[in-house]
């Protein structure tokens, strides 16, 4: 059984999905988010290595107290060599969804666990196949659900996931933004 009682656990994320998933592990934690962390990455990184790099950069921006255990994460969607982060605006969200329509993409999440003494970083990928979306479905989803805070402009747990996701290989929770089963195992062995 996981015992984090010696730590003050901090989730460095404003994501409601990450909060929901971490809460499901039944331990106390607090939210602490620093503004304006640079999420850029070197051009030569690819796939999950990008998400891992950004998760580590987020962690490195913090200076944990003696008993703090910090959890940072970054999720992105990868399609045919292109990185889909959070859309800039509604038009960008629609562009992303048009790109994902009828295709298989990868969702990659990098997670970093940091204390004053050590750091562990890992990545998880999941494969998702979308059905072909009609333009009115894309318009409806973007207008109603405002997916501007989601990598790839979609939340698998929302309406678009119900109508578009034909196939998943890997962690569903990774697609939501935090591979919670893997995080639990990593925390047990930290």
């Amino acid at each position: 059984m996981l015992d984090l009682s010696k730590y003050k656990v901090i989730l460095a994320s404003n994501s409601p999905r990450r909060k929901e998933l971490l809460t499901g592990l039944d331990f106390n934690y607090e939210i602490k988010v620093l503004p304006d962390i640079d999420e850029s990455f070197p051009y030569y990184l690819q796939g999950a290595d990008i998400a891992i790099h950004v998760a580590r950069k987020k962690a490195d921006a913090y200076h944990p107290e003696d008993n703090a255990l910090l959890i940072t994460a970054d999720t992105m969607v990868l399609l045919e060599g292109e990185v889909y982060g959070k859309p800039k605006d509604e038009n960008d969200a629609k562009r992303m969804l048009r790109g994902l329509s009828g295709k298989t993409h990868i969702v990659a999440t990098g997670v970093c666990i940091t204390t004053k003494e050590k750091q562990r970083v890992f990545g998880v990928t999941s494969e998702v196949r979308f059905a072909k979306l009609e333009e009115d479905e894309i318009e409806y989803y973007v207008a109603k659900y405002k997916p501007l805070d989601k990598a790839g402009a979609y939340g698998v747990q929302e309406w678009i996931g119900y109508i578009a996701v034909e196939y998943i290989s890997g962690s569903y929770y990774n697609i939501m933004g935090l591979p919670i089963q893997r995080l639990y195992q990593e925390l047990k062995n930290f």
Side-chain angles (χ1 to χ4, degrees):
M1 182 84 175
L2 178 63
D3 180 12
L4 297 176
S5 59
K6 68 180 181 179
Y7 295 113
K8 174 181 165 186
V9 180
I10 299 168
L11 174 63
S13 176
N14 274 326
S15 165
R17 289 143 321 268
R18 288 191 183 121
K19 292 175 194 172
E20 173 188 348
L21 292 170
L22 196 60
T23 298
L25 292 184
D26 291 339
F27 59 78
N28 294 324
Y29 68 93
E30 63 181 60
I31 303 291
K32 181 177 179 185
V33 180
L34 295 178
D36 303 322
I37 294 177
D38 176 22
E39 295 187 18
S40 63
F41 53 88
Y43 71 92
Y44 55 83
L45 290 179
Q46 295 185 6
D49 289 339
I50 298 169
I52 290 168
H53 176 83
V54 175
R56 183 180 286 126
K57 275 181 85 170
K58 289 177 179 180
D60 291 346
Y62 290 81
H63 303 286
E65 302 165 13
D66 287 340
N67 67 333
L69 183 144
L70 178 72
I71 300 168
T72 58
D74 191 70
T75 301
M76 57 193 47
V77 170
L78 308 163
L79 176 69
E80 299 169 348
E82 187 177 352
V83 176
Y84 286 16
K86 295 174 186 168
K88 296 175 194 73
D89 54 32
E90 289 190 2
N91 286 332
D92 196 32
K94 292 173 192 174
R95 176 192 67 81
M96 289 181 184
L97 291 170
R98 286 184 201 107
L100 297 173
S101 176
K103 295 180 184 163
T104 299
H105 61 274
I106 300 294
V107 178
T109 302
V111 179
C112 191
I113 305 167
T114 305
T115 64
K116 201 166 190 139
E117 294 79 33
K118 61 184 174 174
Q119 187 174 73
R120 179 170 296 153
V121 64
F122 63 92
V124 173
T125 58
S126 302
E127 188 178 88
V128 182
R129 184 172 59 227
F130 262 28
K132 185 81 175 139
L133 295 168
E134 296 177 10
E135 188 61 28
D136 63 338
E137 293 166 333
I138 292 170
E139 295 277 342
Y140 171 80
Y141 177 69
V142 171
K144 179 162 174 101
Y145 289 89
K146 310 283 188 215
L148 303 183
D149 64 335
K150 296 172 181 70
Y154 79 93
V156 69
Q157 71 285 359
E158 295 176 337
W159 182 82
I160 198 82
Y162 304 153
I163 68 146
V165 174
E166 291 182 329
Y167 169 85
I168 291 172
S169 177
S171 169
Y172 173 82
Y173 299 112
N174 179 54
I175 301 164
M176 281 181 68
L178 191 64
I180 199 70
Q181 184 276 336
R182 174 75 182 273
L183 176 60
Y184 181 82
Q185 294 304 319
E186 294 287 343
L187 287 169
K188 277 175 60 175
N189 298 315
F190 190 72

